[in-house]
Amino acid sequence: MDTIYLNHAGTSWPKPSVVTEAVAAAMETSPRHWPSLFERAHHSVCRYFGISNPAQLLLTPGCTSAISVAISDFNWEPNDKVLTSSWEHHALSRPLQKLQGDGIELVVVPPDSSSPFDLTFFESSLAAGGVKLVAITAACNVTGQILPMRQIIELAHKYNAFVLVDAAQVVGWLPLNFSELGADLIAFGGHKGLQSPWGIGGLYIADHVPMKCVTASCGLSLGDDEPLLSPRPGYCDVGSVDQFSLAGLEVAIDWLEEKARADRLAIGRECVQRFRDLLSAFANVTLFGADDLSQQLPTVAFSVAGISSATVSNLLKARGIVAASGFQCAPQAHETLGTEESGVVRLSFGIGQPEKEIAVALERTSDVIRSLTES
Ligand SMILES: Cc1ncc(COP(=O)(O)O)c(C=O)c1O
């Protein structure tokens, strides 16, 4: 039985063949050429995200490490406050919880009836004063619901707070120009929508952000230049950059920019609609996510009454469908959804996923849910 992979919000698979070829070629390239290849790829990633100065983009092993650098090297002062959402992945909620232990106040902005992020509550929290940083995900990795990023950034800046965005779920799907977006810190990984292998990501740090790097870091030196010393986190502070995954990311972003993939999000949202139509016909199924598809990534999250998400996902797996069950590394989001007992089943679609796979997956999902409904 063919595998139908529907866990692209976890990691994308299969990678485009140009990516696997580029990784293999990089592994065979002489170390003599590594610094210049590194610099070329770094520039390409910056160009893709609209970053004019590569010194603003620290390459990291992934989004988790990028967030960790952002939080640990930020210039905290006594009595600072942080605002966050109730939808965070552990990559952000863990370092925030640690900050709380260090005496920083953490306030979680709840959803309201029409939005995953209550902007009125948010503004009154900002107006109360002392907020140094707003740290939020651009989209919930459990439900695929997009947060009102631009409004959040605008309001935060009105009250002089900095903004850190966890862009792990949206890169490769939403067109993102980091300079235009205006967030002060943006973390991302390459292995989901951006189609690279695991092992590469980045942290964008706008020039005005007060960072307090514990040790002065050295940049890569090219040619006869002196090594660079900087008070901002740099190359060696996050460990060796995976040059091979970076080579994959460099070609992946060209692949993403090809015309054939311009309507990828619209196609993904159509898949969401088709699965929601199917699942909403079952009285024992609860669907999660944005009603308005324009606020939704290509992800369908659902639960079946009285049946654990692991059971549903195992039944799907027996029919060849790879889904994500449980808590998707975001226990806080499950508390918000009220699914903290047994999580949800998450189906997430890929870029260029063949129509035939979608049609077969619909059929098999229907069979599985029907079997649970009848039992
Ligand atoms: C919202 C969110 N943030 C952070 C991460 C962690 O990303 P990485 O695997 O690149 O460290 C993920 C991955 O699941 C995610 O979905």
Side-chain angles (χ1 to χ4, degrees), residues 62-64 89 91 137 141 166 168-169 189 191-192:
C63 190
T64 305
H89 186 278
T137 188
N141 70 300
D166 170 354
Q169 285 295 320
H191 69 90
K192 300 178 193 283

Side-chain angles (χ1 to χ4, degrees), residues 169-318:
Q169 285 295 320
V170 298
V171 285
W173 289 105
L174 301 183
L176 278 189
N177 180 310
F178 286 4
S179 312
E180 258 174 31
L181 183 64
D184 308 282
L185 295 143
I186 305 176
F188 67 92
H191 69 90
K192 300 178 193 283
L194 288 180
Q195 314 295 313
S196 85
W198 279 298
I200 192 72
L203 176 66
Y204 163 76
I205 311 172
D207 288 337
H208 58 270
V209 180
M211 299 299 278
K212 193 176 64 179
C213 195
V214 190
T215 52
S217 59
C218 50
L220 281 183
S221 73
L222 281 176
D224 298 329
D225 295 347
E226 292 295 322
L228 302 168
L229 286 174
S230 158
R232 294 162 75 81
Y235 180 76
C236 53
D237 294 315
V238 276
S240 309
V241 170
D242 185 333
Q243 294 246 34
F244 312 129
S245 295
L246 176 61
L249 178 59
E250 184 184 12
V251 300
I253 56 188
D254 286 341
W255 181 88
L256 280 168
E257 283 180 330
E258 281 170 21
K259 226 169 156 198
R261 278 163 278 278
D263 54 357
R264 56 187 181 265
L265 187 54
I267 294 172
R269 285 176 173 154
E270 264 170 44
C271 293
V272 171
Q273 190 60 59
R274 289 163 74 187
F275 273 83
R276 284 186 177 179
D277 289 347
L278 170 89
L279 291 165
S280 59
F282 293 94
N284 55 347
V285 169
T286 304
L287 283 161
F288 303 95
D291 292 336
D292 174 0
L293 277 188
S294 72
Q295 301 308 309
Q296 180 67 38
L297 291 174
T299 294
V300 173
F302 69 95
S303 62
V304 183
I307 317 267
S308 85
S309 63
T311 303
V312 180
S313 157
N314 281 333
L315 289 169
L316 288 169
K317 192 160 139 200

Side-chain angles (χ1 to χ4, degrees), residues 33 102 144 153 182 224 230 263 268 290 337 352:
H33 302 298
D102 298 341
I153 294 168
D224 298 329
S230 158
D263 54 357
L337 291 172

Side-chain angles (χ1 to χ4, degrees), residues 3 16 20 28-29 34 49 58-59 70 83 91 114 130 189 202 205 211 221 224-225 256 271 289:
T3 294
T20 48
E28 285 170 6
T29 301
W34 288 357
F49 286 122
L58 176 70
L59 291 167
L83 298 182
S114 60
I205 311 172
M211 299 299 278
S221 73
D224 298 329
D225 295 347
L256 280 168
C271 293

